[in-house]
Amino acid sequence: MKGKTKVSKLKTRAGALLLAAALFASVPACSSDDAPSGDATTEAKYNPISSSGTAPGGDFIPTNSEESGRKTIAWLVFDGLTRIGSANELIYENAESVTTTDAITWTVKLKPNQLFANGEKLTVDNYIDAWTWGSNISNAQIASADLSVIAGYDKLHPSDGTPATATTFEGLTRVDDLTFTIKLSRQYSSFPLLLSAVPFFPLPGSFFDNPDAWRETPVGNGPYQLKGKIDDSDGAYFDVNPNYTGSRVPENDGVYIRFYTSPDAIYSDILADNLDLGSASGAGLLTAAADFGDRFISGPGGPTQTLTFPLWDEYWQSDAGLKVRQAISLAIDREQITQKVFNGLAVPAKEFTQPGLNGWNGNLPGSDILSFDPVKAKALLAEAGGFDKDLPIYYNADGAHKDWVEAVANQLQLNLGINAYPAPVTTFSEFLEQRANHEFTGPWRASEIPFNPGLDDILRNVYSINGGASSGSDWFSQEYEDLLAEGWKQTDVNAANAYFNQAQEVLLRELPAIPLWYSYRTQIHSTLVSNVQVSAFGSNTYLIHKES
């Protein structure tokens, strides 16, 4: 069935545009003079891990934490029911167990005696109330669509934008302080993996007493707590949470996230031991191994880079628009760009997810559209009637994208003769605003990352209306939705993945986005820290040691 575009009122997954692992295993050596003012004796002892990050630009309520700056903070300040470990294994954090007999109704039992940073005891109410408040459309939470799998979400968050018709969450039932049930709107066999996502984090009772006051002095249940207010022009400081009862017990004094807008500045500061952790990108990929030696860590598990198209536009919806997208895909020499621009720290994409996930298949039917074939590309362009418009390729100029966008534009000019050119947008926030306002007339760069090892995570979050359709392209295919739903019914992982890969065949056929390459995770760190470990999901900052 041919996909149709549908205007989305759901979230944007800006967080998918940046590599979560690098953000969390990344900070400068920060002297006590740099820390917030306070008692001199106390401050002299404070020696946090320093990591690069981006300003959150707002609160980090879990259901409002979609882009990377907010997710980075949320992962430090909160724990969830489950999390994903460094070996991609499911770890029960707040939850003692999550069980089901039918993949629709799930029973969650919490571990006893868990606390928030303010000493408040954690109960199931902290989850039920957080999810209910976050789902209510009147609270305008941009990341709440992850909760749409729970029965009754549509009553709290109608898809047509009208007010909620319920005040309670139909699918959530309190049994006792440590037990509740979750009824889903459909079978979802991998639900415990989904529970590791940020929007499923709890909130303390103090939040509901006064949300505005909580925004000023946030309280969570994670390994760290905020130390003073966040300064969007500087950074955010975090202490170790003295009431922490989870498994991510910090092995350092705290964390300082310094906000950057230039990847070159991150690189220079780490090289000078003025920053402890960050990721190598852009020109730094060509020199990091020589400059940092064993303090440069790289490996598979980074984002899938794509060119995503504005399918709200009538031309791009048309058959001619599809043929042009196919021609563009075939005209890009991915191997050349990954070698010359990324220094081999990326590999050409074979599909829409990424290697290492459960059930990944690099040889799906239709994947030949991602090969380099300029002859076939020209033929498809001719079938489309040519393309005599300009083709801007949009990207945020405060990220390390300029070189590869220029390389793609040059190849499209050379191999197709179309006027493709880089179209930088000054900041990431402006980029997202322009995309949301449908100001883009051509493709834009996107980096899609999974938040758990399930093959369906990117497929659901980025391209499915049942996960928020956060690609921003407004693409919709009922065939695609039906195949994902069939996969979610399966209790056997292999059977589920077979349906998920059939859904990918729909993506390869309709190309709402063009997969380009799988970037490697890269991590560079100063000489002042040790035990640096990168994680594909969430944060391992708590394991890092810092010299005093």
Side-chain angles (χ1 to χ4, degrees):
M1 181 182 296
K2 183 175 176 60
K4 297 179 180 179
T5 58
K6 180 176 181 179
V7 176
S8 172
K9 295 182 179 179
L10 299 174
K11 66 177 184 177
T12 58
R13 191 190 197 189
L17 301 178
L18 293 174
L19 177 58
L23 288 170
F24 263 18
S26 15
V27 213
C30 168
S31 71
S32 59
D33 291 338
D34 295 321
S37 59
D39 177 77
T41 302
T42 301
E43 296 302 334
K45 296 178 180 178
Y46 182 60
N47 188 29
I49 302 297
S50 59
S51 174
S52 64
T54 56
D59 65 58
F60 55 93
I61 297 169
T63 48
N64 213 32
S65 298
E66 190 50 59
E67 50 79 39
S68 60
R70 299 186 190 186
K71 279 185 181 291
T72 298
I73 295 172
W75 271 317
L76 293 176
V77 174
F78 291 99
D79 270 349
L81 292 169
T82 64
R83 67 180 176 91
I84 308 302
S86 57
N88 292 0
E89 77 278 21
L90 181 69
I91 296 174
Y92 287 94
E93 193 60 67
N94 289 170
E96 187 171 87
S97 62
V98 181
T99 59
T100 188
T101 58
D102 59 7
I104 294 178
T105 300
W106 298 76
T107 299
V108 177
K109 292 185 178 294
L110 299 184
K111 296 174 183 176
N113 304 316
Q114 299 182 94
L115 302 173
F116 285 91
N118 62 357
E120 180 183 329
K121 184 174 290 188
L122 176 73
T123 73
V124 299
D125 295 328
N126 301 112
Y127 279 100
I128 292 174
D129 292 346
W131 299 355
T132 303
W133 186 93
S135 296
N136 194 304
I137 195 169
S138 66
N139 294 318
Q141 299 291 281
I142 62 175
S144 70
D146 275 344
L147 300 166
S148 65
V149 68
I150 302 174
Y153 178 86
D154 57 335
K155 296 177 182 178
L156 288 164
H157 200 113
S159 59
D160 60 4
T162 57
T165 60
T167 57
T168 59
F169 215 140
E170 175 189 323
L172 304 178
T173 302
R174 187 186 198 279
V175 177
D176 55 44
D177 280 358
L178 298 179
T179 310
F180 70 115
T181 62
I182 307 170
K183 183 178 180 180
L184 306 183
S185 57
R186 59 187 178 276
Q187 287 176 292
Y188 200 124
S189 57
S190 56
F191 186 57
L193 291 175
L194 181 60
L195 287 173
S196 66
V198 169
F200 288 92
F201 290 169
L203 285 167
S206 60
F207 171 87
F208 304 101
D209 294 336
N210 191 335
D212 288 336
W214 185 92
R215 288 182 176 96
E216 290 293 315
T217 55
V219 172
N221 65 325
Y224 297 96
Q225 60 182 354
L226 196 63
K227 183 183 179 70
K229 292 184 178 181
I230 296 174
D231 182 349
D232 277 357
S233 65
D234 174 25
Y237 292 85
F238 300 84
D239 275 324
V240 171
N241 174 8
N243 289 318
Y244 183 61
T245 53
S247 65
R248 294 187 295 151
V249 179
E251 299 184 19
N252 47 64
D253 292 345
V255 176
Y256 166 42
I257 300 177
R258 179 181 291 179
F259 302 147
Y260 284 84
T261 59
S262 166
D264 293 338
I266 294 171
Y267 189 97
S268 297
D269 279 351
I270 297 176
L271 195 58
D273 277 351
N274 291 324
L275 182 70
D276 289 328
L277 298 161
S279 59
S281 57
L285 294 174
L286 304 178
T287 57
D291 286 345
F292 290 92
D294 60 6
R295 292 185 290 117
F296 170 56
I297 304 169
S298 67
T304 300
Q305 189 76 51
T306 72
L307 287 182
T308 302
F309 284 78
L311 294 183
W312 59 75
D313 180 273
E314 184 176 350
Y315 175 79
W316 291 114
Q317 291 182 41
S318 69
D319 289 339
L322 173 59
K323 283 186 169 62
V324 171
R325 293 198 300 279
Q326 293 170 333
I328 289 172
S329 181
L330 291 167
I332 298 171
D333 188 343
R334 294 162 174 79
E335 183 66 34
Q336 183 184 75
I337 293 176
T338 55
Q339 290 301 317
K340 290 190 174 181
V341 177
F342 291 93
N343 200 28
L345 295 171
V347 293
K350 302 295 184 182
E351 40 79 274
F352 280 78
T353 65
Q354 61 181 237
L357 299 180
N358 297 334
W360 184 81
N361 183 337
N363 192 32
L364 294 173
S367 62
D368 57 334
I369 199 65
L370 307 182
S371 60
F372 178 51
D373 190 340
V375 173
K376 186 176 180 180
K378 289 177 181 177
L380 281 166
L381 186 64
E383 288 179 24
F387 188 83
D388 57 4
K389 306 175 185 179
D390 290 341
L391 187 74
I393 302 175
Y394 299 94
Y395 68 97
N396 53 299
D398 57 356
H401 310 295
K402 179 176 181 289
D403 291 346
W404 74 257
V405 172
E406 287 182 346
V408 168
N410 289 338
Q411 288 188 354
L412 296 181
Q413 291 175 21
L414 176 66
N415 297 323
L416 289 179
I418 61 178
N419 185 31
Y421 60 90
V425 179
T426 305
T427 66
F428 188 45
S429 60
E430 291 174 310
F431 172 91
L432 293 173
E433 182 179 359
Q434 291 182 25
R435 190 188 73 173
N437 291 336
H438 291 183
E439 296 177 29
F440 293 166
T441 59
W444 60 86
R445 77 93 194 165
S447 297
E448 312 299 357
I449 57 174
F451 292 111
N452 68 63
L455 187 66
D456 64 309
D457 189 71
I458 285 179
L459 303 180
R460 179 184 64 85
N461 269 304
V462 181
Y463 301 105
S464 168
I465 60 170
N466 287 312
S470 62
S471 71
S473 71
D474 285 355
W475 176 77
F476 171 78
S477 164
Q478 189 59 54
E479 179 185 9
Y480 178 79
E481 300 292 344
D482 291 344
L483 287 166
L484 290 183
E486 284 298 318
W488 292 329
K489 292 179 183 178
Q490 309 304 312
T491 56
D492 177 78
V493 173
N494 292 329
N497 288 334
Y499 282 106
F500 298 150
N501 278 325
Q502 287 180 52
Q504 286 211 75
E505 292 178 36
V506 177
L507 288 172
L508 288 165
R509 187 171 71 239
E510 301 196 8
L511 282 186
I514 297 174
L516 298 175
W517 42 76
Y518 311 119
S519 300
Y520 280 19
R521 287 179 290 155
T522 62
Q523 184 68 60
I524 50 179
H525 64 87
S526 74
T527 64
L528 305 178
V529 293
S530 59
N531 200 37
V532 176
Q533 303 176 28
V534 294
S535 173
F537 312 106
S539 166
N540 278 339
T541 305
Y542 71 100
L543 294 171
I544 298 172
H545 304 151
K546 178 76 176 281
E547 291 185 12
S548 57

